[in-house]
Amino acid sequence: MQIARERNWPESWLNDEANQFIPSWGRQIDWRPLYDKDQISIWVAPIDALLAMKLHAVQGRPGRDTDDVAKLLRLNGIGDVRAAEAIYEDFYPGDGLNERSLLLLERMFHIGLPELPDAPPVIDLGGDAVRGKK
Amino acid sequence: MTAGTLLRAARRSSGLGQQVLAERAQTSQPDVSAVERGRRTPTVDTLVRLLDSAGHKLIAVKTSHPDAVETSARIADALRSGAAQAALRRFLDYSDGLAATSGVERVMLTAAEPYPSGSPVWDAALAAVAEYWLDQEGLPKPHWLNDPSRTLPSPQTLDVSIYDLPPRIDEVPPPFARRNVLVERGTLASI
């Protein structure tokens, strides 16, 4: 709440609404710690899990995450629809991509994926996780 | 939201030129221009006087979400930088904010007429999304939503990503379809 007031954000800015995109039954996400100190813990998903979760998100929300999916396909070295489906089903077994998502993937590979984005600088947030201590 | 953004939108909404507003507010046209361009930050009293001269009142609304005036300015900034993705994020922030609010708060986020973004399709989309969320609760709609400039002559998409599939016409909500803006209902789902 304090951060919300300071930054004029909605009080609900920190929430767990994105949980619905986190796979429940498939391959476990190998979360990477960025920061872990006191009562604050920040973790990031690896790019294969990010791709799977973005594919899960675009299924019902056209137009929101299209470029993110294309970049993540490139980052993961995914070259065709079947390989993209395989990653998705790894994390969401039994779900399968819907027809619209498959058409989107076909379009992406037909047009060609974007160039590899530049890697962001390494951020040192301090805390035990980054320094390797625990 | 800046004083300049607020003033420029209010002035245009009242159909006034800078010179006419300046005369009414007993100041100069360069002064009005400086405020609108952000080169001069007026005191609150001065801003109130300027807005009053444009037939508007300055009020405070308890909300943390951007309104249509601020959103249009943000979209304009993004488009000037060639960042269509950023424009989409601003548009979706606005839509998500409307979805997260209700009643009077939702009405207030659509009440003030925004200054045009410079892009007819985004201007039409802004009016469409405001009407879409107001209709969800049967709330009153401001007149600017029906301005003819916010309806396109022919159907267009927001043209954000080269990878986007053509929208499914039967998935475009009526407020968007009427304005010839092809945005699917699913795109507006916040989560």
Side-chain angles (χ1 to χ4, degrees), chain A residues 98-111:
Chain A
N98 61 28
E99 185 183 339
R100 190 89 175 148
S101 299
L102 293 173
L103 282 172
L104 180 64
L105 287 169
E106 283 173 12
R107 181 177 170 86
M108 286 182 178
F109 290 118
H110 176 73
I111 290 174

Side-chain angles (χ1 to χ4, degrees), chain B residues 136-158:
Chain B
Q136 296 292 309
E137 286 200 346
L139 295 168
K141 286 170 277 197
H143 293 302
W144 67 269
L145 298 190
N146 294 318
D147 193 288
S149 66
R150 295 188 185 265
T151 295
L152 302 171
S154 60
Q156 288 180 46
T157 66
L158 294 178

Side-chain angles (χ1 to χ4, degrees), chain B residues 7-21:
Chain B
L7 179 63
R8 190 172 63 158
R11 177 180 61 74
R12 186 183 179 278
S13 178
S14 293
L16 300 175
Q18 289 182 340
Q19 183 62 44
V20 172
L21 177 64

